Amino acid sequence: MADIKKLEVPESLSRLGGVFREAGHELYLVGGVVRWALLLGSDTDTEPEAQINRQDTDAATDAHPARIKELLRPHAENLWTVGERFGTIAATIGEYEVQITTYRTDQYTRGSRHPEVRFGDSLREDLARRDFTINAVAADALTGEIVDPFEGRKDLERGVIRAVGDPLERMRDDPLRMLRAVRFETTLSELEKPFAMTQDLEKAIRNNAGWLESISAERKREEFEKIL
């Protein structure tokens, strides 16, 4: 898996990548869609379209929301702007539901679980704000080339759940990430090999589990349901 240089991007998504590239913008597939494609792509005969469609498709771009809407409208069957103030525009592109979010560099205030959203212009900065290295891998929507500044592919290969940067800071930013870590350890271990958190991440969670009191019951319930 660590040797994978690019993903096979389905045609409808690569065309969208071409639309953004021609307009002078970047478009990268990010998050779970890339994680699943890497996990399944090297070990199974699953078609690329099935790999990409394991979850709703997330993408990131340097284009701001208004520009994203301009680029999407001629190609989208449906368009949603509910998350626009957070930089996210959603659309149906062919058989895929794509959520495209402007690069962000969130700033958290101590005691608050709601970040001040700041748009950025760097993919690396956007990946650096994410929770775990296995979720901080991106693939160019046009070419499928992998961008992996935090070695998430190696962690996928080794079955490691590791925080991006300091685990205490990542958990303090959003304590729900504690439950997400447990979810990934549980669900990914259903594959051929077990997954486990790094010791420093597990320690940060054990020592600060009380921070979860600040998270709404609805968000915690959703994570518990996914774990179960």
Side-chain angles (χ1 to χ4, degrees), residues 39-93:
L39 281 170
L40 298 177
S42 60
D43 299 321
T44 74
D45 294 328
T46 307
E47 291 298 323
E49 290 79 4
Q51 297 170 19
I52 294 293
N53 207 28
R54 282 298 297 259
Q55 299 181 357
D56 289 341
T57 303
D58 292 321
T61 180
D62 59 329
H64 284 208
R67 184 60 169 153
I68 296 173
K69 288 188 290 186
E70 289 179 7
L71 295 174
L72 283 177
R73 278 198 178 99
H75 308 279
E77 298 176 20
N78 300 289
L79 196 69
W80 296 274
T81 60
V82 174
E84 184 170 2
R85 70 189 183 97
F86 299 108
T88 300
I89 304 296
T92 302
I93 305 294

Side-chain angles (χ1 to χ4, degrees), residues 104-187:
R104 286 165 36 177
T105 56
D106 297 345
Q107 298 293 319
Y108 286 83
T109 301
R110 185 65 56 84
S112 171
R113 304 309 173 199
H114 302 288
E116 176 188 348
V117 176
R118 298 180 181 178
F119 295 150
D121 55 13
S122 164
L123 174 64
R124 183 185 174 90
E125 287 183 348
D126 185 81
L127 296 177
R129 73 180 176 83
R130 297 175 185 269
D131 49 10
F132 310 113
T133 60
I134 60 175
N135 294 329
V137 185
D140 189 303
L142 177 60
T143 67
E145 292 186 14
I146 298 293
V147 178
D148 183 21
F150 304 104
E151 299 189 328
R153 285 172 296 176
K154 288 184 179 179
D155 287 340
L156 280 173
E157 188 174 33
R158 297 180 300 173
V160 173
I161 300 170
R162 179 165 57 92
V164 176
D166 178 52
L168 188 62
E169 290 297 324
R170 293 286 77 75
M171 299 307 104
R172 181 184 288 121
D173 286 347
D174 183 358
L176 191 68
R177 290 171 172 174
M178 299 182 186
L179 292 182
R180 282 172 56 82
V182 174
R183 167 158 64 92
F184 288 128
E185 186 174 73
T186 302
T187 57

